[in-house]
Amino acid sequence: MIFAFVVETADSSSRPDSRGRLSPHLLGIAIIETPVALSSQPASPTSADRAAPSGKEASLYQFFAPGGVLSRTHPAYEFRRGQLQMAQAVEQALAEKRHLIVEAGTGTGKTLAYLMPVIRSGKRVIISTGTKNLQEQLFYKDVPFLEQALAGLRASGFRLSVCYMKGRNNYLCRKKLYELTDQPVSGLEEIEQYRAIAAWEKTTGTGDRAELAELPEASLLWHKLDARADACIGQKCSEWERCFITEMRRKAMESDIIIVNHHLFFADLAIKLQAEGAPDAGILPEAAAVIFDEAHELEDVAGNYFGISVSNLRMEELARDVENSLQHHRMMSAALSAALGSLRERSQFFFSLLPPGEGRFAFETRREFLEENGDEFVALNQALTRLAGELEGLPQKAEEVFAFVRRAQEIQVQLGFAMESEDRNTVFWIERRGGRFGSRGANKAGETSGRGRQNVFLQATPIDVGPILRECLWSKLECAVLTSATLAVGGGFEYIRQRLGMEHARESVLPSHFDYESQALLYVPPDLPDPRTPQFTAKASERIRRLLEITRGRAFVLFTSYAQMNDIYQRLLGEVEFPMLRQGDAPKTALLEEFRLTPNAVLFATSSFWQGVDVQGEQLSCVIIDRLPFAVPSDPVVAARVKAIDADGGNAFFQYQVPAAVITLKQGFGRLIRSLHDRGLLVLLDNRILKKQYGRVFVESLPNYKKTTEMRVVEGFFGAGE
């Protein structure tokens, strides 16, 4: 059974429409129109190709090769054989309607390598990325560059539209803004923000909050005004024709290339699954192909969107939204007030009864829990039914009331699945984390201490997303291209194909443009204790201190746990003469900027800095990793996947845990060499890579770094080069 609800995401959640379908919630599109004319014929580097390109007859070889279009237009052009090979492989996949998996090492130039054949194909293509940074690079840098580079090759009459889609909560809802005019805005800060937003609304053409540079990132007022779908009433809205989302959706449907991120893509896919193929479901139009850049993230993202999440936070947000709307429309009654109070009370009590635990942990005692607390489960369901009934009974309803009824019903269905389903491909678990809703003001119960209040999430996640993707994505797509600098394990793609359910695909491993053997040295100390022993931390701290002396700081020190990071950071505080920065002491972007601007800085960080971070030049000359990055075995999703593979007769350690750790390690080490001129030291403090049988898989999967186990070689590497 697949529950494809989209819930509890940073961008908001989806709700069923009047036909019972989930409404798309991540619709925000910026449009750029790029006129381009190119041939779609397959490329091959023949002698004819080496002639000067002429109009639409230009081939990929003539674009990428020495003396070609790229060499004449790119200020830092270098011929990259892997880039041309990737472009030709993508073009062939598009032409033959085949899937393709391609690992393109750092420095290959993969964005241009897939953009060119996409443009030449003349087909509508969706490009899905793993990070906002890559989205912005494609939209603001790569596409405009190609537009300029291909200016001389245009033929009249062909226009290419490229759109960049962002989450709905990035955009202003005019209806909410106008309604807030009649409501009190609390605090001088919110009053000033309201005035700025109201003035901006009169001039903006997009409604994108990114235009409001002065608006704080954590603005509580913006949360009341954004265009998320919870309160959207669609065509019945008085501002429908002027709605920023309406206009952007129309333009998106006319686009040839649509740039999204994995979260938007799988949210949209989940909506369409829930709608069972209804033609008006979702927001992304039909496309001939999808390019998944940073495809190593797909399993985790897909798992999140094919699962469900029910929390006390969602209950409170529903109650708060209903209350605000009814008060605005002067429809609040004693019965509705009582229904809201009952929902809040029952929700708080039910979630407080869930088994105790920190962070993420499996909920393996659901049956026993219901035997003991079934009355409270029933009472919470009845509170949701009561609220929906009172809302349906209103004699005159504002349009958003229908949306509130659907939200209450959706939560009921999901709560029932989370507590009672016996689906064998689903792991049920609980997560506790800090909350936010109370910090937006007192709720009906008078609670104002939401910043310290813990939120509890009931989660249900597919154990194996492969069969789901095989049925609802790969079999439906004409062509899918999966690419990343880190997809292969031991030189092959068996792991990624198995985890994603992609049975038939062409495969290609392209070497990096960098000369890793001369640019990077990998040091593994053979004498440190096993990282799983108590003796490791003290010895590792001393070795890190010595390495930082040799590299003169200029390092990322990356950890697999916050506890280890904080322990070693404290041990080295005062022992290291260089500026020390630590994840959590400032926002990620601010830390990176400070690292770039601070000579000899050392940054201590965990998982979010292992990928998507780009610091070029001598400022980053060393990356130290504390241990092989195996996923936490007690994590409920990891544990369930391990159990399922072993139960099916496989070997989860070698089929799942080792390959996943290999890809993570490749991502972490990938922070160091970002250009042809970068040079530096890679350190893995975990010598199991030398001593264990599985260590060979890691070594064979890494680029061809120069390797050593001797500190004197490390000293010589820096002494000779600096």
Side-chain angles (χ1 to χ4, degrees), residues 181-247:
T181 305
D182 304 323
Q183 297 180 17
V185 179
S186 59
L188 289 175
E189 185 180 12
E190 282 204 4
I191 292 172
E192 291 176 2
Q193 290 178 15
Y194 175 81
R195 288 173 178 166
I197 293 170
W200 165 72
E201 179 267 338
K202 292 178 172 62
T203 61
T204 178
T206 67
D208 185 351
R209 70 165 290 172
E211 297 176 0
L212 283 167
E214 68 275 16
L215 188 69
E217 186 176 347
S219 169
L220 299 180
L221 177 63
W222 182 261
H223 183 81
K224 302 174 185 177
L225 299 175
D226 67 27
R228 68 186 65 222
D230 278 356
C232 182
I233 55 177
Q235 297 183 31
K236 297 180 180 179
C237 177
S238 58
E239 302 301 324
W240 171 257
E241 291 300 328
R242 299 179 66 238
C243 174
F244 296 114
I245 303 300
T246 302
E247 177 63 13

Coordinates of all heavy atoms in Angstrom, one line a residue, residues 181-247:
T181 N -5.2 43.6 6.4 CA -5.4 45.1 6.5 C -6.3 45.4 7.6 O -6.2 46.4 8.4 CB -5.9 45.7 5.2 OG1 -5.0 45.3 4.2 CG2 -5.9 47.2 5.3
D182 N -7.4 44.5 7.8 CA -8.4 44.8 8.8 C -8.1 44.1 10.1 O -8.9 44.2 11.0 CB -9.7 44.3 8.3 CG -10.1 44.9 6.9 OD1 -9.8 46.1 6.7 OD2 -10.7 44.2 6.1
Q183 N -7.0 43.4 10.2 CA -6.6 42.8 11.5 C -5.5 43.4 12.2 O -4.6 44.0 11.5 CB -6.3 41.3 11.2 CG -7.4 40.5 10.6 CD -7.0 39.0 10.3 OE1 -6.0 38.6 10.8 NE2 -7.8 38.4 9.5
P184 N -5.4 43.4 13.5 CA -4.3 44.0 14.2 C -3.0 43.2 13.9 O -3.0 42.0 13.9 CB -4.7 43.8 15.7 CG -5.7 42.7 15.7 CD -6.4 42.7 14.4
V185 N -1.9 44.0 13.7 CA -0.6 43.4 13.5 C 0.2 43.8 14.8 O 0.2 45.0 15.2 CB 0.1 44.0 12.3 CG1 1.5 43.5 12.2 CG2 -0.7 43.7 11.1
S186 N 0.7 42.8 15.5 CA 1.4 43.0 16.8 C 2.8 43.4 16.7 O 3.6 42.7 15.9 CB 1.2 41.8 17.6 OG 1.8 40.7 17.0
G187 N 3.3 44.3 17.4 CA 4.7 44.6 17.5 C 5.2 45.6 16.5 O 4.7 45.5 15.3
L188 N 6.1 46.4 16.8 CA 6.7 47.4 15.9 C 7.3 46.7 14.7 O 7.2 47.2 13.6 CB 7.7 48.3 16.6 CG 7.1 49.3 17.6 CD1 8.2 50.1 18.3 CD2 6.2 50.3 16.9
E189 N 8.0 45.6 15.0 CA 8.7 44.9 13.9 C 7.8 44.4 12.8 O 8.0 44.6 11.6 CB 9.5 43.7 14.5 CG 10.4 43.0 13.5 CD 11.2 41.9 14.1 OE1 10.9 41.5 15.2 OE2 12.1 41.4 13.4
E190 N 6.6 43.8 13.3 CA 5.6 43.3 12.3 C 5.0 44.5 11.6 O 4.6 44.3 10.4 CB 4.6 42.4 13.0 CG 5.1 41.0 13.3 CD 4.0 40.0 13.4 OE1 2.8 40.4 13.2 OE2 4.3 38.8 13.7
I191 N 4.7 45.6 12.2 CA 4.1 46.7 11.6 C 5.0 47.2 10.5 O 4.5 47.5 9.3 CB 3.8 47.8 12.6 CG1 2.7 47.4 13.6 CG2 3.4 49.1 11.9 CD1 2.5 48.3 14.7
E192 N 6.3 47.4 10.8 CA 7.2 47.8 9.7 C 7.3 46.8 8.6 O 7.3 47.2 7.4 CB 8.6 48.0 10.4 CG 8.7 49.2 11.3 CD 10.0 49.3 12.0 OE1 10.9 48.5 11.7 OE2 10.2 50.2 12.9
Q193 N 7.3 45.5 8.9 CA 7.4 44.5 7.8 C 6.1 44.6 7.0 O 6.2 44.5 5.7 CB 7.6 43.1 8.4 CG 8.9 42.9 9.0 CD 9.1 41.5 9.6 OE1 8.2 40.6 9.4 NE2 10.1 41.3 10.5
Y194 N 5.0 44.8 7.6 CA 3.7 44.8 6.9 C 3.7 46.0 5.9 O 3.3 45.8 4.7 CB 2.5 44.9 7.8 CG 1.2 45.1 7.1 CD1 0.5 44.0 6.6 CD2 0.6 46.4 6.9 CE1 -0.6 44.2 5.9 CE2 -0.5 46.5 6.2 CZ -1.2 45.4 5.7 OH -2.3 45.6 5.0
R195 N 4.1 47.1 6.4 CA 4.2 48.3 5.5 C 5.1 48.1 4.3 O 4.8 48.5 3.2 CB 4.6 49.5 6.3 CG 3.6 50.0 7.3 CD 4.2 51.1 8.2 NE 3.2 51.7 9.1 CZ 3.4 52.4 10.2 NH1 4.7 52.7 10.4 NH2 2.5 52.9 10.9
A196 N 6.2 47.5 4.5 CA 7.2 47.2 3.5 C 6.6 46.2 2.4 O 6.7 46.4 1.2 CB 8.5 46.6 4.0
I197 N 5.9 45.2 2.9 CA 5.3 44.2 2.0 C 4.2 44.8 1.3 O 4.0 44.5 0.0 CB 4.9 42.9 2.8 CG1 6.1 42.2 3.4 CG2 4.0 42.0 2.0 CD1 5.7 41.1 4.4
A198 N 3.3 45.6 1.9 CA 2.2 46.2 1.2 C 2.7 47.2 0.1 O 2.1 47.2 -1.0 CB 1.3 47.0 2.3
A199 N 3.7 47.9 0.4 CA 4.3 48.8 -0.7 C 4.9 48.0 -1.8 O 4.7 48.4 -3.0 CB 5.3 49.7 0.0
W200 N 5.6 46.9 -1.5 CA 6.2 46.1 -2.5 C 5.2 45.4 -3.4 O 5.4 45.3 -4.6 CB 7.1 45.1 -1.8 CG 7.6 43.9 -2.6 CD1 8.5 44.0 -3.6 CD2 7.2 42.6 -2.5 NE1 8.7 42.7 -4.1 CE2 7.9 41.8 -3.4 CE3 6.3 41.9 -1.6 CZ2 7.7 40.4 -3.5 CZ3 6.1 40.5 -1.7 CH2 6.8 39.8 -2.7
E201 N 4.1 45.0 -2.8 CA 3.0 44.3 -3.5 C 2.5 45.1 -4.7 O 2.1 44.5 -5.7 CB 1.9 43.9 -2.6 CG 0.7 43.2 -3.2 CD -0.4 44.1 -3.7 OE1 -0.5 45.2 -3.2 OE2 -1.2 43.7 -4.6
K202 N 2.5 46.4 -4.6 CA 2.0 47.3 -5.7 C 2.9 47.3 -6.9 O 2.5 47.7 -8.0 CB 1.8 48.7 -5.1 CG 0.7 48.8 -4.1 CD 0.6 50.2 -3.5 CE -0.7 50.4 -2.6 NZ -0.6 49.5 -1.5
T203 N 4.2 46.9 -6.7 CA 5.1 47.0 -7.8 C 5.7 45.7 -8.3 O 6.2 45.6 -9.4 CB 6.3 48.0 -7.4 OG1 7.0 47.4 -6.3 CG2 5.8 49.3 -7.0
T204 N 5.7 44.7 -7.5 CA 6.3 43.4 -7.8 C 5.6 42.7 -9.0 O 4.4 42.7 -9.1 CB 6.4 42.4 -6.7 OG1 7.0 41.2 -7.1 CG2 5.0 42.1 -6.1
G205 N 6.4 42.1 -9.9 CA 5.8 41.3 -10.9 C 5.7 39.8 -10.7 O 5.1 39.1 -11.4
T206 N 6.4 39.4 -9.6 CA 6.5 38.0 -9.3 C 5.9 37.6 -8.0 O 5.5 36.4 -7.8 CB 8.0 37.5 -9.3 OG1 8.7 38.1 -8.2 CG2 8.7 37.9 -10.6
G207 N 5.9 38.5 -7.0 CA 5.5 38.1 -5.7 C 6.5 37.3 -4.9 O 6.2 36.8 -3.8
D208 N 7.7 37.1 -5.4 CA 8.7 36.3 -4.8 C 9.4 37.1 -3.6 O 10.0 38.2 -3.8 CB 9.8 35.9 -5.8 CG 10.8 35.0 -5.3 OD1 10.9 34.7 -4.1 OD2 11.6 34.5 -6.1
R209 N 9.4 36.5 -2.5 CA 9.9 37.2 -1.3 C 11.4 37.4 -1.4 O 12.0 38.3 -0.7 CB 9.6 36.4 0.0 CG 10.4 35.1 0.1 CD 10.3 34.6 1.6 NE 11.1 35.4 2.5 CZ 11.1 35.3 3.8 NH1 10.4 34.4 4.4 NH2 11.9 36.0 4.6
A210 N 12.1 36.8 -2.3 CA 13.5 37.0 -2.5 C 13.8 38.4 -2.9 O 14.9 38.9 -2.7 CB 14.1 36.0 -3.6
E211 N 12.8 39.1 -3.5 CA 12.9 40.5 -3.8 C 13.0 41.4 -2.6 O 13.4 42.5 -2.7 CB 11.8 41.0 -4.7 CG 11.7 40.2 -6.1 CD 10.5 40.6 -6.9 OE1 9.7 41.5 -6.4 OE2 10.4 40.1 -8.0
L212 N 12.5 40.9 -1.5 CA 12.5 41.7 -0.2 C 13.7 41.4 0.6 O 13.7 40.7 1.6 CB 11.2 41.4 0.6 CG 9.9 42.0 0.1 CD1 8.7 41.3 0.7 CD2 9.9 43.5 0.3
A213 N 14.8 42.0 0.2 CA 16.1 41.7 0.9 C 16.1 42.1 2.3 O 16.7 41.4 3.1 CB 17.2 42.4 0.1
E214 N 15.3 43.1 2.7 CA 15.3 43.5 4.1 C 14.4 42.7 5.0 O 14.4 42.8 6.2 CB 14.8 45.0 4.1 CG 13.3 45.2 3.8 CD 13.1 45.4 2.3 OE1 14.0 45.0 1.5 OE2 12.0 45.8 1.9
L215 N 13.6 41.7 4.4 CA 12.7 40.9 5.2 C 13.5 39.8 5.9 O 14.2 39.0 5.2 CB 11.6 40.3 4.3 CG 10.5 39.6 5.1 CD1 9.6 40.5 5.9 CD2 9.6 38.8 4.1
P216 N 13.5 39.7 7.2 CA 14.3 38.7 7.9 C 13.8 37.3 7.4 O 12.7 37.0 7.1 CB 13.9 38.9 9.4 CG 13.4 40.3 9.5 CD 12.7 40.6 8.2
E217 N 14.8 36.4 7.4 CA 14.6 35.0 7.0 C 13.5 34.3 7.8 O 12.7 33.5 7.3 CB 15.9 34.2 7.0 CG 15.7 32.8 6.4 CD 17.1 32.1 6.4 OE1 18.1 32.7 6.6 OE2 17.1 30.9 6.1
A218 N 13.5 34.6 9.1 CA 12.6 34.0 10.0 C 11.3 34.8 10.3 O 10.7 34.7 11.4 CB 13.3 33.6 11.3
S219 N 11.0 35.7 9.4 CA 9.8 36.6 9.6 C 8.6 35.8 9.9 O 8.1 35.0 9.1 CB 9.6 37.4 8.4 OG 8.4 38.1 8.5
L220 N 7.9 36.1 11.1 CA 6.7 35.4 11.4 C 5.5 36.0 10.7 O 4.5 35.3 10.4 CB 6.5 35.5 13.0 CG 7.5 34.9 13.9 CD1 7.2 35.1 15.3 CD2 7.7 33.4 13.6
L221 N 5.6 37.3 10.3 CA 4.6 37.9 9.5 C 4.5 37.2 8.1 O 3.3 37.0 7.6 CB 4.8 39.4 9.3 CG 3.8 40.1 8.5 CD1 2.4 40.1 9.1 CD2 4.2 41.6 8.3
W222 N 5.6 36.9 7.5 CA 5.5 36.3 6.2 C 4.8 35.0 6.2 O 4.0 34.7 5.2 CB 6.9 36.1 5.6 CG 6.9 35.5 4.2 CD1 7.1 34.2 3.9 CD2 6.6 36.2 3.0 NE1 6.9 34.0 2.5 CE2 6.7 35.2 2.0 CE3 6.4 37.5 2.7 CZ2 6.4 35.6 0.6 CZ3 6.2 37.9 1.4 CH2 6.2 36.9 0.4
H223 N 4.9 34.2 7.3 CA 4.2 32.9 7.4 C 2.7 33.2 7.3 O 2.0 32.3 6.9 CB 4.6 32.3 8.7 CG 3.9 30.9 8.9 ND1 4.4 29.8 8.3 CD2 2.8 30.5 9.6 CE1 3.7 28.7 8.6 NE2 2.7 29.2 9.4
K224 N 2.2 34.3 7.7 CA 0.8 34.6 7.7 C 0.3 35.0 6.3 O -0.9 35.1 6.0 CB 0.4 35.7 8.7 CG 0.8 35.4 10.1 CD 0.5 36.6 11.0 CE 1.0 36.4 12.4 NZ 0.8 37.6 13.3
L225 N 1.3 35.4 5.4 CA 0.9 36.0 4.1 C 1.4 35.2 2.9 O 1.0 35.5 1.8 CB 1.6 37.4 4.0 CG 1.2 38.4 5.1 CD1 2.1 39.7 4.9 CD2 -0.2 38.7 5.0
D226 N 2.1 34.1 3.1 CA 2.6 33.4 2.0 C 1.5 32.5 1.3 O 0.4 32.4 1.8 CB 3.8 32.5 2.3 CG 3.5 31.3 3.2 OD1 2.4 30.9 3.2 OD2 4.4 30.9 4.0
A227 N 1.8 32.0 0.1 CA 0.8 31.4 -0.7 C 0.7 29.9 -0.6 O 0.3 29.2 -1.5 CB 1.1 31.8 -2.2
R228 N 1.1 29.4 0.6 CA 1.0 27.9 0.7 C -0.4 27.5 0.6 O -1.4 28.2 0.7 CB 1.6 27.5 2.1 CG 0.8 27.9 3.3 CD 1.5 27.6 4.6 NE 2.7 28.4 4.7 CZ 3.8 27.8 5.2 NH1 3.9 26.6 5.5 NH2 4.9 28.6 5.3
A229 N -0.6 26.2 0.2 CA -1.9 25.7 -0.3 C -2.9 25.4 0.8 O -4.1 25.3 0.5 CB -1.7 24.4 -1.1
D230 N -2.5 25.4 2.1 CA -3.5 25.1 3.1 C -4.8 25.9 3.1 O -5.9 25.4 3.2 CB -2.8 25.3 4.5 CG -2.0 24.1 4.9 OD1 -2.0 23.1 4.2 OD2 -1.3 24.2 6.0
A231 N -4.6 27.2 2.8 CA -5.8 28.1 2.8 C -6.2 28.5 1.4 O -7.1 29.4 1.3 CB -5.5 29.3 3.7
C232 N -5.6 27.9 0.4 CA -5.9 28.3 -1.0 C -7.2 27.8 -1.4 O -7.5 26.6 -1.2 CB -4.8 27.8 -1.9 SG -5.0 28.3 -3.6
I233 N -8.1 28.6 -2.0 CA -9.4 28.2 -2.4 C -9.5 28.2 -3.9 O -10.6 28.2 -4.5 CB -10.5 29.1 -1.8 CG1 -10.2 30.6 -2.1 CG2 -10.6 28.9 -0.3 CD1 -11.3 31.5 -1.5
G234 N -8.4 28.3 -4.6 CA -8.3 28.2 -6.0 C -9.1 29.2 -6.8 O -9.1 30.4 -6.5
Q235 N -9.9 28.7 -7.8 CA -10.6 29.6 -8.7 C -11.7 30.4 -8.0 O -12.2 31.4 -8.6 CB -11.2 28.8 -9.9 CG -10.1 28.1 -10.7 CD -10.7 27.4 -11.9 OE1 -11.7 27.8 -12.5 NE2 -10.0 26.3 -12.3
K236 N -12.1 30.0 -6.9 CA -13.2 30.8 -6.2 C -12.6 32.0 -5.4 O -13.4 32.8 -4.8 CB -13.9 29.9 -5.2 CG -14.6 28.7 -5.9 CD -15.4 27.8 -4.9 CE -16.1 26.7 -5.7 NZ -16.8 25.8 -4.7
C237 N -11.3 32.2 -5.4 CA -10.7 33.3 -4.7 C -10.9 34.6 -5.5 O -10.8 34.6 -6.8 CB -9.2 33.0 -4.6 SG -8.3 34.4 -3.8
S238 N -11.2 35.7 -4.8 CA -11.4 36.9 -5.4 C -10.2 37.5 -6.2 O -10.3 38.3 -7.0 CB -11.9 38.0 -4.4 OG -10.9 38.1 -3.4
E239 N -9.0 37.0 -5.8 CA -7.8 37.4 -6.4 C -7.2 36.4 -7.4 O -6.0 36.5 -7.8 CB -6.7 37.7 -5.3 CG -7.2 38.8 -4.3 CD -7.5 40.1 -4.9 OE1 -6.8 40.5 -5.9 OE2 -8.4 40.8 -4.5
W240 N -8.0 35.5 -7.8 CA -7.5 34.4 -8.7 C -6.8 34.9 -9.9 O -5.7 34.4 -10.3 CB -8.7 33.5 -9.1 CG -8.4 32.4 -10.1 CD1 -8.7 32.5 -11.4 CD2 -7.7 31.2 -9.9 NE1 -8.2 31.4 -12.1 CE2 -7.6 30.6 -11.2 CE3 -7.1 30.6 -8.8 CZ2 -6.9 29.4 -11.3 CZ3 -6.4 29.4 -9.0 CH2 -6.4 28.8 -10.2
E241 N -7.4 35.8 -10.6 CA -6.9 36.3 -11.9 C -5.6 37.0 -11.7 O -4.7 37.1 -12.5 CB -7.9 37.2 -12.6 CG -9.1 36.5 -13.1 CD -8.7 35.4 -14.1 OE1 -7.7 35.6 -14.9 OE2 -9.4 34.3 -14.2
R242 N -5.4 37.7 -10.5 CA -4.2 38.5 -10.2 C -3.2 37.7 -9.4 O -2.1 38.2 -9.0 CB -4.6 39.7 -9.5 CG -5.5 40.7 -10.2 CD -5.8 41.9 -9.4 NE -4.6 42.7 -9.2 CZ -4.2 43.1 -8.0 NH1 -4.8 42.6 -6.9 NH2 -3.1 43.8 -7.9
C243 N -3.5 36.4 -9.1 CA -2.7 35.6 -8.2 C -1.3 35.3 -8.9 O -1.3 34.9 -10.0 CB -3.4 34.3 -7.9 SG -2.4 33.1 -7.0
F244 N -0.3 35.5 -8.1 CA 1.1 35.2 -8.6 C 1.2 33.7 -9.0 O 1.9 33.4 -10.0 CB 2.1 35.5 -7.6 CG 2.2 37.0 -7.3 CD1 1.8 37.5 -6.0 CD2 2.5 37.9 -8.2 CE1 1.9 38.8 -5.7 CE2 2.6 39.3 -8.0 CZ 2.3 39.7 -6.7
I245 N 0.6 32.8 -8.3 CA 0.7 31.4 -8.5 C -0.1 31.0 -9.8 O 0.4 30.2 -10.6 CB 0.2 30.6 -7.3 CG1 0.9 30.9 -6.1 CG2 0.3 29.1 -7.6 CD1 2.4 30.7 -6.1
T246 N -1.2 31.7 -10.0 CA -2.0 31.4 -11.2 C -1.2 31.7 -12.5 O -1.1 30.9 -13.4 CB -3.3 32.2 -11.2 OG1 -4.1 31.9 -10.0 CG2 -4.2 32.0 -12.4
E247 N -0.6 32.9 -12.5 CA 0.1 33.3 -13.6 C 1.3 32.5 -13.9 O 1.7 32.1 -15.0 CB 0.5 34.8 -13.5 CG 1.4 35.4 -14.6 CD 0.7 35.4 -15.9 OE1 -0.5 35.2 -16.0 OE2 1.4 35.6 -16.9

